[in-house]
Amino acid sequence: AASKLTGPKPTPEHGRPGPWLCQRKWPREAAAALTLRVGMDQALEWERSAVRLQRKWRDYSNLQRWRAAAAWYRSCATLIQCFWRCYLARKARQFRHAQFTSPWEEL
């Protein structure tokens, strides 16, 4: 019962034409392999997302630590400058006080 246009129909003893050569649409092994591949792709994407998230968090926390350290160093430099200016002001005050209380008249 073959038609001129379609050719002979496959019989069960010849097997099904195509790459799988089987009667089922999806063999269990191929379906399992596909499920495993999709699952592994999803797991790898989750792992990459977690790595990206961890890297962003690490960059953010390192930046916060660096900013805190830089602020501390700036405050130390400001403190040193303040102490130096206070030292110079005390020296100038002592000099002027010594001039004021001196028995000799100085200009």
Side-chain angles (χ1 to χ4, degrees):
S3 155
K4 285 184 178 181
L5 297 175
T6 59
K9 289 189 177 184
T11 57
E13 63 269 1
H14 292 121
R16 190 170 188 177
W20 300 110
L21 298 175
C22 62
Q23 298 295 322
R24 295 185 308 249
K25 183 177 179 185
W26 278 97
R28 278 183 231 127
E29 297 81 12
L34 179 66
T35 303
L36 182 64
R37 180 179 182 151
V38 168
M40 288 299 292
D41 287 343
Q42 183 102 29
L44 287 173
E45 185 59 35
W46 288 343
E47 194 265 339
R48 284 188 210 107
S49 297
V51 167
R52 279 194 300 267
L53 181 66
Q54 289 168 357
R55 184 174 57 240
K56 291 291 183 185
W57 174 255
R58 189 173 52 245
D59 291 346
Y60 172 76
S61 63
N62 286 340
L63 181 64
Q64 294 302 317
R65 271 193 243 134
W66 181 83
R67 284 180 178 165
W72 184 79
Y73 280 115
R74 280 193 300 272
S75 71
C76 287
T78 304
L79 195 62
I80 291 169
Q81 289 173 356
C82 180
F83 286 151
W84 180 250
R85 288 177 184 152
C86 288
Y87 170 77
L88 292 178
R90 280 193 302 274
K91 287 298 231 179
R93 184 188 61 84
Q94 288 173 355
F95 178 72
R96 286 193 181 92
H97 183 69
Q99 277 189 342
F100 182 74
T101 59
S102 171
W104 298 94
E105 198 172 310
E106 298 177 18
L107 295 176

